[in-house]
PDB file of all heavy atoms in Angstrom:
ATOM      1  N   GLN A  23      -0.872  -9.817  16.249  1.00  0.00           N
ATOM      2  CA  GLN A  23      -1.802  -9.141  15.353  1.00  0.00           C
ATOM      3  C   GLN A  23      -2.548  -8.047  16.115  1.00  0.00           C
ATOM      4  O   GLN A  23      -3.024  -8.281  17.229  1.00  0.00           O
ATOM      5  CB  GLN A  23      -2.824 -10.141  14.784  1.00  0.00           C
ATOM      6  CG  GLN A  23      -3.867  -9.531  13.876  1.00  0.00           C
ATOM      7  CD  GLN A  23      -3.312  -9.126  12.542  1.00  0.00           C
ATOM      8  OE1 GLN A  23      -2.399  -9.758  12.030  1.00  0.00           O
ATOM      9  NE2 GLN A  23      -3.851  -8.065  11.968  1.00  0.00           N
ATOM     10  N   GLN A  35     -12.665  23.011   4.615  1.00  0.00           N
ATOM     11  CA  GLN A  35     -12.068  24.060   3.788  1.00  0.00           C
ATOM     12  C   GLN A  35     -10.661  24.371   4.278  1.00  0.00           C
ATOM     13  O   GLN A  35     -10.305  24.118   5.441  1.00  0.00           O
ATOM     14  CB  GLN A  35     -12.932  25.316   3.843  1.00  0.00           C
ATOM     15  CG  GLN A  35     -14.255  25.176   3.104  1.00  0.00           C
ATOM     16  CD  GLN A  35     -14.964  26.497   2.940  1.00  0.00           C
ATOM     17  OE1 GLN A  35     -14.859  27.369   3.792  1.00  0.00           O
ATOM     18  NE2 GLN A  35     -15.697  26.650   1.855  1.00  0.00           N
ATOM     19  N   SER A  43      -9.018   9.770  14.627  1.00  0.00           N
ATOM     20  CA  SER A  43      -8.826   8.814  15.706  1.00  0.00           C
ATOM     21  C   SER A  43      -8.486   7.456  15.127  1.00  0.00           C
ATOM     22  O   SER A  43      -8.901   7.117  14.011  1.00  0.00           O
ATOM     23  CB  SER A  43     -10.099   8.690  16.554  1.00  0.00           C
ATOM     24  OG  SER A  43     -10.439   9.910  17.160  1.00  0.00           O
ATOM     25  N   ALA A  46      -7.356   0.878  18.467  1.00  0.00           N
ATOM     26  CA  ALA A  46      -6.602  -0.360  18.307  1.00  0.00           C
ATOM     27  C   ALA A  46      -7.125  -1.433  19.248  1.00  0.00           C
ATOM     28  O   ALA A  46      -7.582  -1.133  20.355  1.00  0.00           O
ATOM     29  CB  ALA A  46      -5.125  -0.105  18.595  1.00  0.00           C
ATOM     30  N   TYR A  51       2.576  -4.584  24.152  1.00  0.00           N
ATOM     31  CA  TYR A  51       4.003  -4.447  23.904  1.00  0.00           C
ATOM     32  C   TYR A  51       4.592  -3.429  24.868  1.00  0.00           C
ATOM     33  O   TYR A  51       4.040  -2.368  25.091  1.00  0.00           O
ATOM     34  CB  TYR A  51       4.248  -3.979  22.470  1.00  0.00           C
ATOM     35  CG  TYR A  51       3.516  -4.784  21.426  1.00  0.00           C
ATOM     36  CD1 TYR A  51       2.502  -4.201  20.665  1.00  0.00           C
ATOM     37  CD2 TYR A  51       3.824  -6.105  21.193  1.00  0.00           C
ATOM     38  CE1 TYR A  51       1.826  -4.922  19.715  1.00  0.00           C
ATOM     39  CE2 TYR A  51       3.152  -6.842  20.243  1.00  0.00           C
ATOM     40  CZ  TYR A  51       2.150  -6.241  19.510  1.00  0.00           C
ATOM     41  OH  TYR A  51       1.488  -6.969  18.564  1.00  0.00           O
ATOM     42  N   ASP A  74       6.126   7.153  20.058  1.00  0.00           N
ATOM     43  CA  ASP A  74       6.482   5.833  20.547  1.00  0.00           C
ATOM     44  C   ASP A  74       6.183   5.670  22.033  1.00  0.00           C
ATOM     45  O   ASP A  74       5.734   6.614  22.703  1.00  0.00           O
ATOM     46  CB  ASP A  74       7.920   5.480  20.185  1.00  0.00           C
ATOM     47  CG  ASP A  74       8.970   6.199  21.029  1.00  0.00           C
ATOM     48  OD1 ASP A  74       8.621   6.812  22.056  1.00  0.00           O
ATOM     49  OD2 ASP A  74      10.154   6.144  20.652  1.00  0.00           O
ATOM     50  N   MET A 104      -5.415  17.948  13.261  1.00  0.00           N
ATOM     51  CA  MET A 104      -4.916  18.644  12.077  1.00  0.00           C
ATOM     52  C   MET A 104      -5.529  20.034  12.026  1.00  0.00           C
ATOM     53  O   MET A 104      -6.753  20.169  11.921  1.00  0.00           O
ATOM     54  CB  MET A 104      -5.264  17.853  10.812  1.00  0.00           C
ATOM     55  CG  MET A 104      -4.744  16.420  10.840  1.00  0.00           C
ATOM     56  SD  MET A 104      -5.033  15.520   9.310  1.00  0.00           S
ATOM     57  CE  MET A 104      -6.809  15.348   9.357  1.00  0.00           C
ATOM     58  N   CYS A 117      -3.468   4.773  10.008  1.00  0.00           N
ATOM     59  CA  CYS A 117      -2.662   4.621  11.211  1.00  0.00           C
ATOM     60  C   CYS A 117      -2.009   3.241  11.174  1.00  0.00           C
ATOM     61  O   CYS A 117      -2.476   2.329  10.488  1.00  0.00           O
ATOM     62  CB  CYS A 117      -3.492   4.793  12.475  1.00  0.00           C
ATOM     63  SG  CYS A 117      -4.771   3.557  12.726  1.00  0.00           S
ATOM     64  N   VAL A 126      13.445   7.656  16.391  1.00  0.00           N
ATOM     65  CA  VAL A 126      14.674   8.422  16.590  1.00  0.00           C
ATOM     66  C   VAL A 126      14.375   9.865  16.198  1.00  0.00           C
ATOM     67  O   VAL A 126      13.961  10.116  15.059  1.00  0.00           O
ATOM     68  CB  VAL A 126      15.816   7.864  15.725  1.00  0.00           C
ATOM     69  CG1 VAL A 126      17.062   8.716  15.879  1.00  0.00           C
ATOM     70  CG2 VAL A 126      16.094   6.405  16.096  1.00  0.00           C
ATOM     71  N   GLY A 128      14.382  13.338  14.638  1.00  0.00           N
ATOM     72  CA  GLY A 128      15.070  13.794  13.452  1.00  0.00           C
ATOM     73  C   GLY A 128      14.185  14.672  12.602  1.00  0.00           C
ATOM     74  O   GLY A 128      13.017  14.876  12.914  1.00  0.00           O
ATOM     75  N   ALA A 133      13.191  11.880   9.543  1.00  0.00           N
ATOM     76  CA  ALA A 133      11.876  11.770  10.174  1.00  0.00           C
ATOM     77  C   ALA A 133      11.011  10.762   9.434  1.00  0.00           C
ATOM     78  O   ALA A 133      10.327   9.939  10.043  1.00  0.00           O
ATOM     79  CB  ALA A 133      11.193  13.140  10.206  1.00  0.00           C
ATOM     80  N   ALA A 138       8.492   5.399   9.350  1.00  0.00           N
ATOM     81  CA  ALA A 138       8.199   4.217   8.529  1.00  0.00           C
ATOM     82  C   ALA A 138       8.354   2.928   9.324  1.00  0.00           C
ATOM     83  O   ALA A 138       7.712   1.915   9.020  1.00  0.00           O
ATOM     84  CB  ALA A 138       9.094   4.194   7.294  1.00  0.00           C
ATOM     85  N   THR A 148      -8.949   6.450   6.419  1.00  0.00           N
ATOM     86  CA  THR A 148     -10.072   7.383   6.447  1.00  0.00           C
ATOM     87  C   THR A 148      -9.736   8.544   5.519  1.00  0.00           C
ATOM     88  O   THR A 148      -8.612   9.046   5.522  1.00  0.00           O
ATOM     89  CB  THR A 148     -10.371   7.857   7.884  1.00  0.00           C
ATOM     90  OG1 THR A 148     -11.546   8.668   7.895  1.00  0.00           O
ATOM     91  CG2 THR A 148      -9.215   8.644   8.483  1.00  0.00           C
ATOM     92  N   SER A 153     -10.605  21.525   0.691  1.00  0.00           N
ATOM     93  CA  SER A 153     -10.914  22.333  -0.482  1.00  0.00           C
ATOM     94  C   SER A 153     -10.374  23.745  -0.299  1.00  0.00           C
ATOM     95  O   SER A 153     -10.305  24.269   0.810  1.00  0.00           O
ATOM     96  CB  SER A 153     -12.419  22.370  -0.722  1.00  0.00           C
ATOM     97  OG  SER A 153     -13.085  22.881   0.414  1.00  0.00           O
TER      98      SER A 153
END
Side-chain angles (χ1 to χ4, degrees):
Q23 178 72 32
Q35 289 191 328
S43 298
Y51 310 114
D74 75 12
M104 304 185 291
C117 64
V126 177
T148 185
S153 58

